[in-house]
């Protein structure tokens, strides 16, 4: 989680996933990890979410890209090489953030079933694969283009910060909201790349959409498990958590087929569309 180099982190996540699969590493869900709080000079137990950990080098991130407000990001035409590079860079940054989000879901929350940790390690490894595909493709556009060459924003990680102390909110508002938004955004982005003649980029988007459906499905499954354990109704609870933590209001068009494949039921899709 603390590794800053994105390529080293991606490789490390994949190696850890393979190690767990082969029985070389095991989960201890009852054991609470302890973070040495370099920023505060104390040992900060993560427990069910320790917001201070975000100020103590979690997650590890490279010096570049520079993180700015979304309003400061320059819009570029995808028909130009620079514009296509900027779009691919934004996607690469999303996937790097997604690695950190999956890892954070692993280490921050204790005492859950082993299957939960297996699921999110698999998600982290697939996000690492997506990052590697996009980062390599970005470099094919020219020597000036590599991950970190454009500024980026921190919207995904901001929601992780807000929900650091609430496991159910994390599931509701990261995989089921922000990452599910990627299911809606993927087809039009793919179409942009294809229209610009970038067949390889479009093919990478196909891989990402396929895998992201599975990631959102994992979020849905564990969210419903949590709701059942707490004895709360999923749709009403989602609305409460979205309001409590300031989740963005989602607007269509929605990729309803992908959302159904990811496990959203008719009631959830109706609530989503009613909230436009």
């Amino acid at each position: 989680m603390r590794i800053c180099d994105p390529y080293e982190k991606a490789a490390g996540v994949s190696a850890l996933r393979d190690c767990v699969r082969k029985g070389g590493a095991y989960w201890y869900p009852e054991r609470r990890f302890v973070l040495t709080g370099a920023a505060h000079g104390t040992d900060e137990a993560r427990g069910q979410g320790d917001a201070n950990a975000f100020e103590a080098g979690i997650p590890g991130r490279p010096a570049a890209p520079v993180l700015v407000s979304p309003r400061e990001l320059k819009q570029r035409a995808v028909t130009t090489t620079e514009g296509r590079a900027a779009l691919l860079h934004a996607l690469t940054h999303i996937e790097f953030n997604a690695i950190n989000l999956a890892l954070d879901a692993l280490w921050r929350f204790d005492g859950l079933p082993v299957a939960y940790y297996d699921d999110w390690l698999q998600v982290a490894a697939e996000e690492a694969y997506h990052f590697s595909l996009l980062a390599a493709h970005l470099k094919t556009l020219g020597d000036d283009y590599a991950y970190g060459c454009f500024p980026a924003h921190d919207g995904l990680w901001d929601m992780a910060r807000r929900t650091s102390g609430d496991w159910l909110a994390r599931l509701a508002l990261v995989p089921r909201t922000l990452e599910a938004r990627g299911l809606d955004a993927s087809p039009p982005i793919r179409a942009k790349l294809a229209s610009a003649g970038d067949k390889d980029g479009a093919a990478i988007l196909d891989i990402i959409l396929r895998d992201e459906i599975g990631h959102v499905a994992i979020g849905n499954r564990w969210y419903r498990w949590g709701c059942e354990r707490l004895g709360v109704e999923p749709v009403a609870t989602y609305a409460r958590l979205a309001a409590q933590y300031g989740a963005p209001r989602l607007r269509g068009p929605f990729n309803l087929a992908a959302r159904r494949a990811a496990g959203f039921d008719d009631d959830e899709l109706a609530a989503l569309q009613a909230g436009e």
Side-chain angles (χ1 to χ4, degrees), residues 135-205:
H137 185 52
L138 178 61
K139 289 181 179 180
T140 68
L141 299 186
D143 294 340
D144 293 335
Y145 302 120
Y147 180 55
C149 67
F150 293 103
H153 71 81
D154 207 24
L156 280 173
W157 193 252
D158 180 61
M159 184 55 74
R161 183 181 293 109
R162 286 188 236 171
T163 58
S164 61
D166 189 332
W167 177 76
L168 194 64
R170 170 66 64 84
L171 290 172
L173 304 179
V174 174
R176 300 182 76 251
T177 301
L178 299 183
E179 294 188 63
R181 192 59 176 145
L183 305 182
D184 307 323
S186 186
I189 293 173
R190 185 201 185 281
K192 281 185 178 182
L193 291 172
S195 69
D198 190 346
K199 293 181 180 178
D200 290 341
I204 293 172
L205 265 290

Side-chain angles (χ1 to χ4, degrees), residues 27-265:
W27 300 113
Y28 293 90
E30 72 285 355
R31 183 175 297 172
R32 299 168 74 90
F33 286 83
V34 175
L35 171 70
T36 300
H40 305 282
T42 60
D43 283 348
E44 297 162 345
R46 65 176 175 134
Q48 284 296 305
D50 185 349
N52 288 331
F54 287 87
E55 309 305 326
I58 298 293
R61 292 191 283 194
V66 175
L67 300 179
V68 299
S69 164
R71 295 187 297 273
E72 297 179 58
L73 295 177
K74 183 179 178 182
Q75 297 296 315
R76 299 172 174 87
V78 75
T79 50
T80 67
T81 300
E82 183 185 35
R84 189 151 49 94
L87 174 58
L88 288 168
H89 185 275
L91 296 173
T92 306
H93 181 65
I94 288 171
E95 297 303 323
F96 179 67
N97 266 290
I99 300 171
N100 283 329
L101 288 169
L103 292 176
D104 194 75
L106 284 172
W107 81 267
R108 186 171 297 278
F109 302 104
D110 298 296
L112 295 161
V114 166
Y116 169 85
Y117 301 99
D118 283 337
D119 278 348
W120 287 107
L121 182 57
Q122 178 63 24
V123 170
E126 289 178 355
E127 303 291 15
Y129 175 55
H130 301 163
F131 168 82
S132 299
L133 288 174
L134 287 165
H137 185 52
L138 178 61
K139 289 181 179 180
T140 68
L141 299 186
D143 294 340
D144 293 335
Y145 302 120
Y147 180 55
C149 67
F150 293 103
H153 71 81
D154 207 24
L156 280 173
W157 193 252
D158 180 61
M159 184 55 74
R161 183 181 293 109
R162 286 188 236 171
T163 58
S164 61
D166 189 332
W167 177 76
L168 194 64
R170 170 66 64 84
L171 290 172
L173 304 179
V174 174
R176 300 182 76 251
T177 301
L178 299 183
E179 294 188 63
R181 192 59 176 145
L183 305 182
D184 307 323
S186 186
I189 293 173
R190 185 201 185 281
K192 281 185 178 182
L193 291 172
S195 69
D198 190 346
K199 293 181 180 178
D200 290 341
I204 293 172
L205 265 290
D206 288 336
I207 292 170
I208 291 174
L209 178 59
R210 178 201 68 196
D211 292 345
E212 292 297 340
I213 288 172
H215 301 173
V216 176
I218 287 170
N220 271 324
R221 182 164 67 251
W222 287 108
Y223 172 73
R224 292 200 182 99
W225 180 87
C227 286
E228 183 177 355
R229 187 172 67 161
L230 293 172
V232 296
E233 197 281 321
V235 175
T237 300
Y238 175 82
R240 176 180 62 79
L241 292 171
Q244 179 179 346
Y245 289 98
R249 185 177 179 182
L250 302 182
R251 299 185 182 278
F254 301 110
N255 188 344
L256 296 179
R259 284 177 174 268
R260 286 192 180 94
F264 287 99
D265 64 25

